[in-house]
Amino acid sequence: MKKTSTRLADGRELIYYDQRDDSVRDAVDRRPLDPTVTTSEVRRDPLLGDSIAVASHRQGRIYHPPADECPLCPSQGDRLSEIPDSSYDAVVFENRFPSLAGDSGRCEVVCFTSDHNASFADLTEEQARLVLDAWTDRTSELSHLPSVEQVFCFENRGAEIGVTLGHPHGQIYAYPFTTPRTALMLRSVAAHKEATGGENLFDAVLERELADGRVVLEGEHWVAFVPYAAHWPYEVHLYPRRRVPDLLALDEEARTEFPQVYLELLRRFDRIFGEGEPPTPYISAWHQAPFGALEEFEGVNRDDFALHLELFTVRRTSGKLKFLAGSESGMNVFINDVPPEFAAQRLREVASS
């Protein structure tokens, strides 16, 4: 992998990730852009104890442009985009309309391929490995920023999820705090560790899922399963068999196998609802240990956390979505219409030939 860092016309950082070491990336951003102005502010809720970001400048972000005006495609002639070069393998750049900025963290966009009509599932194993390496590199770089405590790599796919740009891409949020979901996991890990005399909760969960029959697919280094208490109609968790706290700690064997397992998982997601259905909308989310202090989670350190990916869809059946209504939105109690055992069986049935 070759990494080339440059700057866009408004000062934002852009990084090319290339498979070939002899790639040259010297194109200049020719757009007449003013410096970016953000209003991002993090506010803490005193009752719930969590934090929210207020970012009013995001109201002006680009919304469903036509394909020939996509800002994530390479620049061609006089059609200038966020990527100055006329081609790329994978690229990461600072979001022009970030939810988090400055002392409140950082937001980046990850373009998986220059092919506007592709999806992550269409990538080759070599392309998917390059994206994994980019996620890992960005996790490392962002973790060293003084305002960053946790790095979150994710992909929103599909209009039903709220995606405003159709080009295959994901995002990276670098938070200035430990996110509420991660904090809940760490508290559960701490309580389990104390109650069992040192057993790791993530290890116990993986062992249970391997025994209970909700495994979707297995590799030598990765396991994908539908969790016992899945929140979403079709939800799969992907774990490395060897527990590690973050992407940085994956060994070469796990990195090599990841594209095979993950691409197969995404392709099965697109087959859940049968032939002729539109692509399955999904969220794919990497969970990594925070880089900040963990004193509030007594007895827990970073190595107690298990890196894993959670993949889920808001579609519950053909043509119908799972909405977060009163119980989910008002009380954070999910109602799942699809039994996890059925979901696991369905994802096994649609295995590619």
Side-chain angles (χ1 to χ4, degrees):
M1 179 188 77
K2 181 180 180 182
K3 174 182 174 184
T4 306
S5 179
T6 185
R7 292 282 172 179
L8 296 174
D10 56 8
R12 289 175 294 133
E13 184 178 19
L14 179 142
I15 306 162
Y16 293 98
Y17 292 90
D18 286 292
Q19 295 177 351
R20 293 171 55 97
D21 290 337
D22 59 353
S23 298
V24 177
R25 301 296 183 185
D26 55 7
V28 176
D29 185 4
R30 295 181 284 125
R31 297 173 298 171
L33 298 180
D34 295 326
T36 55
V37 177
T38 61
T39 59
S40 180
E41 176 190 359
V42 173
R43 298 182 181 182
R44 186 166 180 80
D45 186 321
L47 293 178
L48 297 180
D50 59 6
S51 299
I52 64 104
V54 179
S56 60
H57 63 276
R58 285 175 54 79
Q59 290 279 31
R61 66 188 185 274
I62 298 171
Y63 187 81
H64 293 300
D68 60 356
E69 296 179 17
C70 175
L72 305 185
C73 288
S75 293
Q76 299 289 339
D78 293 331
R79 190 184 66 78
L80 306 178
S81 73
E82 289 280 67
I83 295 90
D85 214 320
S86 59
S87 67
Y88 64 85
D89 291 343
V91 69
V92 176
F93 60 88
E94 288 184 77
N95 198 320
R96 191 177 179 186
F97 302 95
S99 302
L100 307 165
D103 293 339
S104 297
R106 176 160 157 151
C107 293
E108 298 181 340
V109 176
V110 184
C111 297
F112 305 138
T113 171
S114 61
D115 185 352
H116 180 85
N117 297 313
S119 69
F120 201 115
D122 296 322
L123 301 183
T124 65
E125 290 183 12
E126 291 75 17
Q127 289 175 305
R129 170 59 190 265
L130 183 65
V131 175
L132 174 64
D133 290 342
W135 283 331
T136 305
D137 179 71
R138 297 314 301 152
T139 296
S140 175
E141 293 292 328
L142 293 170
S143 71
H144 289 95
L145 296 179
S147 63
V148 172
E149 189 165 313
Q150 187 171 4
V151 178
F152 176 46
C153 307
F154 64 100
E155 179 191 1
N156 297 327
R157 189 241 204 163
E160 299 93 330
I161 299 295
V163 174
T164 57
L165 297 175
H167 196 103
H169 73 287
Q171 300 179 66
I172 303 175
Y173 276 23
Y175 297 101
F177 50 79
T178 296
T179 61
R181 188 175 178 87
T182 302
L184 285 173
M185 292 186 202
L186 290 169
R187 292 188 188 102
S188 296
V189 168
H192 186 83
K193 188 174 185 179
E194 181 179 7
T196 60
E199 183 182 62
N200 183 272
L201 178 58
F202 286 106
D203 292 348
V205 166
L206 182 55
E207 182 179 352
R208 174 183 178 176
E209 296 297 347
L210 285 168
D212 282 359
R214 285 178 297 274
V215 171
V216 174
L217 60 89
E218 297 183 67
E220 183 179 353
H221 303 283
W222 294 88
V223 178
F225 60 86
V226 177
Y228 171 73
H231 289 56
W232 298 93
Y234 290 90
E235 175 181 338
V236 176
H237 293 192
L238 179 60
Y239 276 65
R241 290 184 185 270
R242 183 178 70 88
R243 173 166 44 90
V244 295
D246 53 38
L247 290 166
L248 304 174
L250 286 174
D251 59 27
E252 182 57 32
E253 290 79 9
R255 292 181 183 281
T256 298
E257 187 181 77
F258 171 77
Q260 305 164 24
V261 176
Y262 187 51
L263 290 172
E264 171 63 16
L265 194 57
L266 291 179
R267 290 161 186 165
R268 292 191 191 190
F269 251 59
D270 274 342
R271 299 189 188 97
I272 294 174
F273 304 105
E275 296 295 330
E277 287 290 322
T280 301
Y282 65 72
I283 293 174
S284 178
W286 280 110
H287 292 264
Q288 306 191 77
F291 289 94
L294 300 179
E295 285 86 355
E296 65 178 291
F297 311 105
E298 189 172 349
V300 171
N301 56 53
R302 292 193 80 250
D303 290 336
D304 290 318
F305 194 86
L307 167 76
H308 62 284
L309 182 144
E310 297 184 8
L311 173 69
F312 58 90
T313 180
V314 298
R315 187 179 292 164
R316 56 186 174 88
T317 190
S318 179
K320 297 180 181 179
L321 301 181
K322 166 64 178 177
F323 292 103
L324 300 189
S327 185
E328 292 88 355
S329 296
M331 282 295 172
N332 200 28
V333 178
F334 276 66
I335 314 297
N336 192 349
D337 303 308
V338 180
E341 292 73 20
F342 175 87
Q345 177 60 34
R346 178 60 182 155
L347 284 162
R348 288 193 294 267
E349 290 173 351
V350 297
S352 61
S353 58

